[in-house]
Amino acid sequence: GGSPSSRTMTLSILLKQHSKRQIRGEFEKLHQFLREVEEARLAALRKEEEEKGKMIAREIKNNSGPDLFSHRKHHCCETRIDVWPHLSGALIDVAKHLGNLQFRVWEKMQGIVKYTPVILDPNTAARWLSLSDDLTSVRHLGKRQQLPDNPERNTICITVLDSEGFSSGRHSWEVEVGDHPEWYIDVAKDSGQYWAEHETLTLKRRPQRIRLQLDYDRGQVAFYDRMYPYFSIGQSDVVRL
């Protein structure tokens, strides 16, 4: 088994290796996305180049007179320079392919990148809990697991904290509870060393998602299952939706 310090060191190394694999995996997803977008952009450029080339070839074949070519005076004499045909739309639309390129890629990236306001802190998770790789969900294992004995880990309650704390302002987040029959949702102070008083509620209808709203400055925490748009008008008023 080894000493507690050696076990902690071994677990710390394993967690570090796991974190490295996760970071590499996430960046590989981004790299793959960028490679696919780059190839799509280059393919669009090649397609336009082919189309413009075919158009120029058709025009030259159908109108092989001198009007298609530019004429310039060179050394006091007029010389026909077969450099570029006088065709509307013959040039590659460079602005379309290069204009705001980074911004367009960033816009497209928003389709695969998800922002999560609550990221769970695995260093605070009780030993019975297992967090998802993206640190956004938690499940009960039904058994204890070997984790480092760090001070911020809760060894009494089966809980996990958010990785970011708040010291002012108003904040809100949603928790998907799904079909799980029992759960605890609250706020904690000082890394969980002090817990707010718990109140058990029995609900008539099982919710799927709970919204929490924290007003730090007023010291208020509110819980909502769902909200409905509300409308009210006077007798002489007209409202259009």
Side-chain angles (χ1 to χ4, degrees), residues 48 51-53 55-56 84-93:
E48 182 177 349
E51 292 175 350
K52 294 295 174 66
M55 181 191 70
I56 294 172
W84 195 261
H86 286 177
L87 298 177
S88 177
L91 295 175
I92 295 294
D93 191 349

Side-chain angles (χ1 to χ4, degrees), residues 18-32:
H18 176 74
S19 298
K20 282 185 176 180
R21 288 194 298 268
Q22 288 299 116
I23 290 173
R24 290 194 178 104
E26 291 300 318
F27 271 96
E28 177 55 32
K29 293 177 184 177
L30 295 175
H31 294 159
Q32 180 62 28

Side-chain angles (χ1 to χ4, degrees), residues 133-151:
D133 289 336
D134 61 359
L135 305 179
T136 62
S137 63
V138 59
R139 64 186 179 92
H140 197 297
L141 291 175
K143 61 180 181 180
R144 287 169 57 97
Q145 56 182 334
Q146 292 293 326
L147 294 173
D149 296 322
N150 48 303

Side-chain angles (χ1 to χ4, degrees), residues 59-69 71 80 82:
E59 291 296 330
I60 292 176
K61 180 179 179 180
N62 297 332
N63 303 283
S64 57
D67 294 338
L68 281 175
F69 301 94
H71 290 67
R80 193 180 79 169
D82 300 344

Side-chain angles (χ1 to χ4, degrees), residues 8-19:
T8 299
M9 179 65 69
T10 301
L11 291 171
S12 177
I13 293 174
L14 292 175
L15 290 173
K16 180 180 179 181
Q17 293 172 347
H18 176 74
S19 298

Side-chain angles (χ1 to χ4, degrees), residues 101-134:
L101 180 58
Q102 292 184 357
F103 178 79
R104 299 304 178 195
V105 174
W106 174 78
E107 271 190 325
K108 199 174 185 67
M109 185 177 289
Q110 291 184 86
I112 67 166
V113 176
K114 180 181 69 173
Y115 172 73
T116 304
V118 175
I119 298 296
L120 303 176
D121 184 359
N123 294 338
T124 66
R127 290 180 172 84
W128 292 271
L129 299 179
S130 175
L131 274 57
S132 61
D133 289 336
D134 61 359

